[in-house]
mmCIF file of all heavy atoms in Angstrom:
data_model
loop_
_atom_site.group_PDB
_atom_site.id
_atom_site.type_symbol
_atom_site.label_atom_id
_atom_site.label_comp_id
_atom_site.label_asym_id
_atom_site.label_seq_id
_atom_site.Cartn_x
_atom_site.Cartn_y
_atom_site.Cartn_z
ATOM 1 N N PRO V 97 -29.312 24.540 -0.472
ATOM 2 C CA PRO V 97 -29.389 23.205 0.132
ATOM 3 C C PRO V 97 -28.404 23.061 1.286
ATOM 4 O O PRO V 97 -27.335 23.647 1.295
ATOM 5 C CB PRO V 97 -29.003 22.281 -1.035
ATOM 6 C CG PRO V 97 -28.201 23.145 -1.945
ATOM 7 C CD PRO V 97 -28.781 24.529 -1.824
ATOM 8 N N THR V 98 -28.765 22.230 2.239
ATOM 9 C CA THR V 98 -27.896 22.000 3.401
ATOM 10 C C THR V 98 -26.741 21.095 2.995
ATOM 11 O O THR V 98 -26.967 19.997 2.474
ATOM 12 C CB THR V 98 -28.694 21.323 4.537
ATOM 13 O OG1 THR V 98 -29.818 22.142 4.844
ATOM 14 C CG2 THR V 98 -27.809 21.121 5.766
ATOM 15 N N PRO V 99 -25.474 21.487 3.134
ATOM 16 C CA PRO V 99 -24.346 20.650 2.701
ATOM 17 C C PRO V 99 -24.248 19.376 3.521
ATOM 18 O O PRO V 99 -24.434 19.381 4.742
ATOM 19 C CB PRO V 99 -23.121 21.552 2.943
ATOM 20 C CG PRO V 99 -23.562 22.510 3.990
ATOM 21 C CD PRO V 99 -25.034 22.726 3.762
ATOM 22 N N GLU V 100 -23.988 18.251 2.806
ATOM 23 C CA GLU V 100 -23.849 16.970 3.487
ATOM 24 C C GLU V 100 -22.439 16.853 4.075
ATOM 25 O O GLU V 100 -21.462 17.268 3.455
ATOM 26 C CB GLU V 100 -24.083 15.825 2.506
ATOM 27 C CG GLU V 100 -25.508 15.782 1.970
ATOM 28 C CD GLU V 100 -25.707 14.581 1.055
ATOM 29 O OE1 GLU V 100 -24.738 13.806 0.904
ATOM 30 O OE2 GLU V 100 -26.809 14.430 0.518
ATOM 31 N N PRO V 101 -22.328 16.285 5.232
ATOM 32 C CA PRO V 101 -20.985 16.145 5.838
ATOM 33 C C PRO V 101 -20.133 15.159 5.049
ATOM 34 O O PRO V 101 -20.598 14.095 4.646
ATOM 35 C CB PRO V 101 -21.292 15.604 7.244
ATOM 36 C CG PRO V 101 -22.645 14.958 7.119
ATOM 37 C CD PRO V 101 -23.389 15.766 6.089
ATOM 38 N N THR V 102 -18.866 15.508 4.747
ATOM 39 C CA THR V 102 -17.954 14.654 3.983
ATOM 40 C C THR V 102 -17.158 13.769 4.947
ATOM 41 O O THR V 102 -16.704 14.216 5.992
ATOM 42 C CB THR V 102 -16.968 15.491 3.159
ATOM 43 O OG1 THR V 102 -16.267 16.372 4.035
ATOM 44 C CG2 THR V 102 -17.703 16.302 2.104
ATOM 45 N N ALA V 103 -16.987 12.484 4.549
ATOM 46 C CA ALA V 103 -16.246 11.540 5.388
ATOM 47 C C ALA V 103 -14.744 11.806 5.261
ATOM 48 O O ALA V 103 -14.227 11.964 4.164
ATOM 49 C CB ALA V 103 -16.563 10.109 4.958
ATOM 50 N N THR V 104 -14.038 11.824 6.356
ATOM 51 C CA THR V 104 -12.596 12.054 6.365
ATOM 52 C C THR V 104 -11.867 10.716 6.200
ATOM 53 O O THR V 104 -12.110 9.774 6.961
ATOM 54 C CB THR V 104 -12.163 12.711 7.687
ATOM 55 O OG1 THR V 104 -12.895 13.926 7.860
ATOM 56 C CG2 THR V 104 -10.672 13.001 7.684
ATOM 57 N N VAL V 105 -10.988 10.619 5.186
ATOM 58 C CA VAL V 105 -10.234 9.393 4.933
ATOM 59 C C VAL V 105 -8.977 9.409 5.786
ATOM 60 O O VAL V 105 -8.133 10.305 5.666
ATOM 61 C CB VAL V 105 -9.860 9.269 3.439
ATOM 62 C CG1 VAL V 105 -9.035 8.004 3.208
ATOM 63 C CG2 VAL V 105 -11.111 9.253 2.584
ATOM 64 N N ARG V 106 -8.839 8.423 6.634
ATOM 65 C CA ARG V 106 -7.662 8.351 7.493
ATOM 66 C C ARG V 106 -6.530 7.660 6.741
ATOM 67 O O ARG V 106 -6.729 6.608 6.126
ATOM 68 C CB ARG V 106 -7.984 7.570 8.765
ATOM 69 C CG ARG V 106 -8.990 8.257 9.667
ATOM 70 C CD ARG V 106 -9.187 7.458 10.946
ATOM 71 N NE ARG V 106 -7.942 7.334 11.680
ATOM 72 C CZ ARG V 106 -7.808 6.604 12.781
ATOM 73 N NH1 ARG V 106 -8.846 5.925 13.257
ATOM 74 N NH2 ARG V 106 -6.645 6.535 13.405
ATOM 75 N N PRO V 107 -5.315 8.208 6.758
ATOM 76 C CA PRO V 107 -4.183 7.568 6.082
ATOM 77 C C PRO V 107 -3.875 6.207 6.708
ATOM 78 O O PRO V 107 -4.159 5.964 7.877
ATOM 79 C CB PRO V 107 -3.027 8.552 6.300
ATOM 80 C CG PRO V 107 -3.678 9.847 6.672
ATOM 81 C CD PRO V 107 -4.940 9.496 7.370
ATOM 82 N N ALA V 108 -3.299 5.331 5.906
ATOM 83 C CA ALA V 108 -2.925 4.008 6.401
ATOM 84 C C ALA V 108 -1.839 4.134 7.463
ATOM 85 O O ALA V 108 -1.021 5.062 7.432
ATOM 86 C CB ALA V 108 -2.431 3.141 5.251
ATOM 87 N N SER V 109 -1.823 3.211 8.392
ATOM 88 C CA SER V 109 -0.796 3.224 9.437
ATOM 89 C C SER V 109 0.556 2.859 8.831
ATOM 90 O O SER V 109 0.648 2.265 7.747
ATOM 91 C CB SER V 109 -1.157 2.219 10.535
ATOM 92 O OG SER V 109 -1.127 0.898 10.010
ATOM 93 N N ALA V 110 1.609 3.189 9.545
ATOM 94 C CA ALA V 110 2.961 2.880 9.066
ATOM 95 C C ALA V 110 3.167 1.379 8.911
ATOM 96 O O ALA V 110 3.910 0.922 8.034
ATOM 97 C CB ALA V 110 3.991 3.460 10.036
ATOM 98 N N GLY V 111 2.492 0.595 9.753
ATOM 99 C CA GLY V 111 2.616 -0.860 9.669
ATOM 100 C C GLY V 111 2.090 -1.421 8.359
ATOM 101 O O GLY V 111 2.726 -2.273 7.734
ATOM 102 N N TRP V 112 0.927 -0.927 7.922
ATOM 103 C CA TRP V 112 0.365 -1.395 6.659
ATOM 104 C C TRP V 112 1.226 -0.969 5.470
ATOM 105 O O TRP V 112 1.430 -1.736 4.526
ATOM 106 C CB TRP V 112 -1.064 -0.880 6.482
ATOM 107 C CG TRP V 112 -2.084 -1.698 7.189
ATOM 108 C CD1 TRP V 112 -2.910 -1.300 8.205
ATOM 109 C CD2 TRP V 112 -2.398 -3.078 6.957
ATOM 110 N NE1 TRP V 112 -3.704 -2.328 8.622
ATOM 111 C CE2 TRP V 112 -3.425 -3.434 7.870
ATOM 112 C CE3 TRP V 112 -1.927 -4.028 6.066
ATOM 113 C CZ2 TRP V 112 -3.971 -4.716 7.919
ATOM 114 C CZ3 TRP V 112 -2.467 -5.319 6.109
ATOM 115 C CH2 TRP V 112 -3.474 -5.655 7.022
ATOM 116 N N VAL V 113 1.731 0.235 5.521
ATOM 117 C CA VAL V 113 2.588 0.718 4.428
ATOM 118 C C VAL V 113 3.870 -0.111 4.360
ATOM 119 O O VAL V 113 4.315 -0.512 3.277
ATOM 120 C CB VAL V 113 2.917 2.216 4.626
ATOM 121 C CG1 VAL V 113 3.915 2.683 3.574
ATOM 122 C CG2 VAL V 113 1.641 3.054 4.557
ATOM 123 N N LYS V 114 4.467 -0.402 5.508
ATOM 124 C CA LYS V 114 5.693 -1.208 5.544
ATOM 125 C C LYS V 114 5.437 -2.612 5.015
ATOM 126 O O LYS V 114 6.239 -3.162 4.252
ATOM 127 C CB LYS V 114 6.215 -1.265 6.978
ATOM 128 C CG LYS V 114 7.525 -2.022 7.127
ATOM 129 C CD LYS V 114 8.002 -2.015 8.575
ATOM 130 C CE LYS V 114 9.304 -2.803 8.727
ATOM 131 N NZ LYS V 114 9.771 -2.803 10.144
ATOM 132 N N TRP V 115 4.310 -3.204 5.411
ATOM 133 C CA TRP V 115 3.946 -4.545 4.935
ATOM 134 C C TRP V 115 3.783 -4.569 3.415
ATOM 135 O O TRP V 115 4.307 -5.465 2.743
ATOM 136 C CB TRP V 115 2.650 -4.978 5.602
ATOM 137 C CG TRP V 115 2.080 -6.253 5.056
ATOM 138 C CD1 TRP V 115 2.451 -7.529 5.385
ATOM 139 C CD2 TRP V 115 1.046 -6.385 4.076
ATOM 140 N NE1 TRP V 115 1.713 -8.439 4.659
ATOM 141 C CE2 TRP V 115 0.841 -7.765 3.851
ATOM 142 C CE3 TRP V 115 0.284 -5.469 3.363
ATOM 143 C CZ2 TRP V 115 -0.102 -8.243 2.947
ATOM 144 C CZ3 TRP V 115 -0.662 -5.947 2.455
ATOM 145 C CH2 TRP V 115 -0.853 -7.318 2.263
ATOM 146 N N ALA V 116 3.086 -3.574 2.879
ATOM 147 C CA ALA V 116 2.867 -3.527 1.433
ATOM 148 C C ALA V 116 4.175 -3.313 0.677
ATOM 149 O O ALA V 116 4.443 -3.964 -0.340
ATOM 150 C CB ALA V 116 1.874 -2.420 1.092
ATOM 151 N N LYS V 117 5.026 -2.418 1.189
ATOM 152 C CA LYS V 117 6.284 -2.134 0.507
ATOM 153 C C LYS V 117 7.241 -3.321 0.545
ATOM 154 O O LYS V 117 8.070 -3.490 -0.355
ATOM 155 C CB LYS V 117 6.936 -0.891 1.108
ATOM 156 C CG LYS V 117 6.233 0.404 0.715
ATOM 157 C CD LYS V 117 7.015 1.626 1.144
ATOM 158 C CE LYS V 117 6.385 2.903 0.605
ATOM 159 N NZ LYS V 117 7.165 4.104 0.972
ATOM 160 N N LYS V 118 7.127 -4.149 1.588
ATOM 161 C CA LYS V 118 7.945 -5.363 1.646
ATOM 162 C C LYS V 118 7.613 -6.273 0.461
ATOM 163 O O LYS V 118 8.512 -6.796 -0.213
ATOM 164 C CB LYS V 118 7.687 -6.106 2.956
ATOM 165 C CG LYS V 118 8.465 -7.410 3.100
ATOM 166 C CD LYS V 118 7.936 -8.270 4.237
ATOM 167 C CE LYS V 118 6.601 -8.906 3.872
ATOM 168 N NZ LYS V 118 6.147 -9.875 4.887
ATOM 169 N N TRP V 119 6.320 -6.448 0.176
ATOM 170 C CA TRP V 119 5.918 -7.279 -0.956
ATOM 171 C C TRP V 119 6.228 -6.603 -2.290
ATOM 172 O O TRP V 119 6.498 -7.273 -3.288
ATOM 173 C CB TRP V 119 4.437 -7.628 -0.847
ATOM 174 C CG TRP V 119 4.179 -8.681 0.172
ATOM 175 C CD1 TRP V 119 3.548 -8.549 1.372
ATOM 176 C CD2 TRP V 119 4.590 -10.056 0.083
ATOM 177 N NE1 TRP V 119 3.528 -9.739 2.041
ATOM 178 C CE2 TRP V 119 4.151 -10.685 1.274
ATOM 179 C CE3 TRP V 119 5.262 -10.802 -0.872
ATOM 180 C CZ2 TRP V 119 4.386 -12.046 1.524
ATOM 181 C CZ3 TRP V 119 5.491 -12.150 -0.629
ATOM 182 C CH2 TRP V 119 5.061 -12.759 0.547
ATOM 183 N N GLN V 120 6.194 -5.281 -2.314
ATOM 184 C CA GLN V 120 6.579 -4.573 -3.533
ATOM 185 C C GLN V 120 8.040 -4.856 -3.874
ATOM 186 O O GLN V 120 8.386 -5.124 -5.037
ATOM 187 C CB GLN V 120 6.358 -3.072 -3.371
ATOM 188 C CG GLN V 120 6.668 -2.273 -4.629
ATOM 189 C CD GLN V 120 6.629 -0.776 -4.379
ATOM 190 O OE1 GLN V 120 7.012 -0.304 -3.314
ATOM 191 N NE2 GLN V 120 6.151 -0.011 -5.354
ATOM 192 N N ALA V 121 8.915 -4.820 -2.861
ATOM 193 C CA ALA V 121 10.336 -5.096 -3.083
ATOM 194 C C ALA V 121 10.549 -6.531 -3.536
ATOM 195 O O ALA V 121 11.345 -6.799 -4.456
ATOM 196 C CB ALA V 121 11.123 -4.822 -1.804
ATOM 197 N N GLN V 122 9.833 -7.471 -2.927
ATOM 198 C CA GLN V 122 9.964 -8.870 -3.335
ATOM 199 C C GLN V 122 9.461 -9.079 -4.759
ATOM 200 O O GLN V 122 10.045 -9.852 -5.525
ATOM 201 C CB GLN V 122 9.214 -9.778 -2.364
ATOM 202 C CG GLN V 122 9.844 -9.878 -0.989
ATOM 203 C CD GLN V 122 9.301 -11.038 -0.186
ATOM 204 O OE1 GLN V 122 8.894 -12.057 -0.742
ATOM 205 N NE2 GLN V 122 9.284 -10.896 1.128
ATOM 206 N N ALA V 123 8.383 -8.404 -5.104
ATOM 207 C CA ALA V 123 7.849 -8.523 -6.460
ATOM 208 C C ALA V 123 8.834 -7.955 -7.482
ATOM 209 O O ALA V 123 8.994 -8.509 -8.574
ATOM 210 C CB ALA V 123 6.504 -7.803 -6.558
ATOM 211 N N ARG V 124 9.510 -6.858 -7.141
ATOM 212 C CA ARG V 124 10.502 -6.284 -8.052
ATOM 213 C C ARG V 124 11.660 -7.250 -8.287
ATOM 214 O O ARG V 124 12.113 -7.442 -9.423
ATOM 215 C CB ARG V 124 11.024 -4.966 -7.496
ATOM 216 C CG ARG V 124 10.073 -3.797 -7.685
ATOM 217 C CD ARG V 124 10.592 -2.559 -6.989
ATOM 218 N NE ARG V 124 9.742 -1.399 -7.250
ATOM 219 C CZ ARG V 124 9.805 -0.263 -6.570
ATOM 220 N NH1 ARG V 124 10.689 -0.133 -5.581
ATOM 221 N NH2 ARG V 124 9.001 0.744 -6.861
ATOM 222 N N ARG V 125 12.159 -7.863 -7.203
ATOM 223 C CA ARG V 125 13.258 -8.824 -7.345
ATOM 224 C C ARG V 125 12.817 -10.037 -8.155
ATOM 225 O O ARG V 125 13.570 -10.528 -9.014
ATOM 226 C CB ARG V 125 13.757 -9.255 -5.956
ATOM 227 C CG ARG V 125 14.526 -8.175 -5.213
ATOM 228 C CD ARG V 125 15.254 -8.738 -4.011
ATOM 229 N NE ARG V 125 14.334 -9.248 -2.999
ATOM 230 C CZ ARG V 125 13.860 -8.518 -2.001
ATOM 231 N NH1 ARG V 125 14.199 -7.233 -1.884
ATOM 232 N NH2 ARG V 125 13.051 -9.047 -1.091
ATOM 233 N N ALA V 126 11.603 -10.507 -7.895
ATOM 234 C CA ALA V 126 11.097 -11.662 -8.637
ATOM 235 C C ALA V 126 10.925 -11.331 -10.114
ATOM 236 O O ALA V 126 11.219 -12.163 -10.983
ATOM 237 C CB ALA V 126 9.763 -12.122 -8.046
ATOM 238 N N ARG V 127 10.469 -10.114 -10.407
ATOM 239 C CA ARG V 127 10.302 -9.710 -11.805
ATOM 240 C C ARG V 127 11.655 -9.632 -12.519
ATOM 241 O O ARG V 127 11.788 -10.068 -13.668
ATOM 242 C CB ARG V 127 9.601 -8.350 -11.890
ATOM 243 C CG ARG V 127 9.308 -7.920 -13.326
ATOM 244 C CD ARG V 127 8.727 -6.519 -13.391
ATOM 245 N NE ARG V 127 8.392 -6.193 -14.767
ATOM 246 C CZ ARG V 127 9.250 -5.760 -15.669
ATOM 247 N NH1 ARG V 127 10.536 -5.572 -15.330
ATOM 248 N NH2 ARG V 127 8.864 -5.501 -16.914
ATOM 249 N N THR V 128 12.667 -9.075 -11.831
ATOM 250 C CA THR V 128 13.999 -8.979 -12.424
ATOM 251 C C THR V 128 14.557 -10.360 -12.740
ATOM 252 O O THR V 128 15.118 -10.590 -13.821
ATOM 253 C CB THR V 128 14.957 -8.237 -11.468
ATOM 254 O OG1 THR V 128 14.446 -6.919 -11.240
ATOM 255 C CG2 THR V 128 16.352 -8.141 -12.055
ATOM 256 N N ARG V 129 14.396 -11.299 -11.812
ATOM 257 C CA ARG V 129 14.901 -12.657 -12.026
ATOM 258 C C ARG V 129 14.160 -13.352 -13.165
ATOM 259 O O ARG V 129 14.766 -13.973 -14.040
ATOM 260 C CB ARG V 129 14.769 -13.461 -10.732
ATOM 261 C CG ARG V 129 15.330 -14.889 -10.829
ATOM 262 C CD ARG V 129 15.246 -15.578 -9.482
ATOM 263 N NE ARG V 129 15.680 -16.967 -9.540
ATOM 264 C CZ ARG V 129 16.950 -17.363 -9.459
ATOM 265 N NH1 ARG V 129 17.908 -16.468 -9.295
ATOM 266 N NH2 ARG V 129 17.261 -18.647 -9.514
ATOM 267 N N LEU V 130 12.830 -13.233 -13.166
ATOM 268 C CA LEU V 130 12.045 -13.873 -14.222
ATOM 269 C C LEU V 130 12.349 -13.258 -15.585
ATOM 270 O O LEU V 130 12.413 -13.964 -16.589
ATOM 271 C CB LEU V 130 10.555 -13.764 -13.913
ATOM 272 C CG LEU V 130 9.613 -14.393 -14.948
ATOM 273 C CD1 LEU V 130 9.915 -15.883 -15.125
ATOM 274 C CD2 LEU V 130 8.151 -14.181 -14.545
ATOM 275 N N ALA V 131 12.543 -11.934 -15.626
ATOM 276 C CA ALA V 131 12.885 -11.277 -16.889
ATOM 277 C C ALA V 131 14.201 -11.823 -17.441
ATOM 278 O O ALA V 131 14.342 -12.052 -18.651
ATOM 279 C CB ALA V 131 12.976 -9.767 -16.695
#
């Protein structure tokens, strides 16, 4: 059979990773305080 072309997944930009990690840090602090 003829192989189907596989889609290449592009990594997230540094901006999106930084944005997500900012909320991760805030969530950690909020969890510590609530605990």
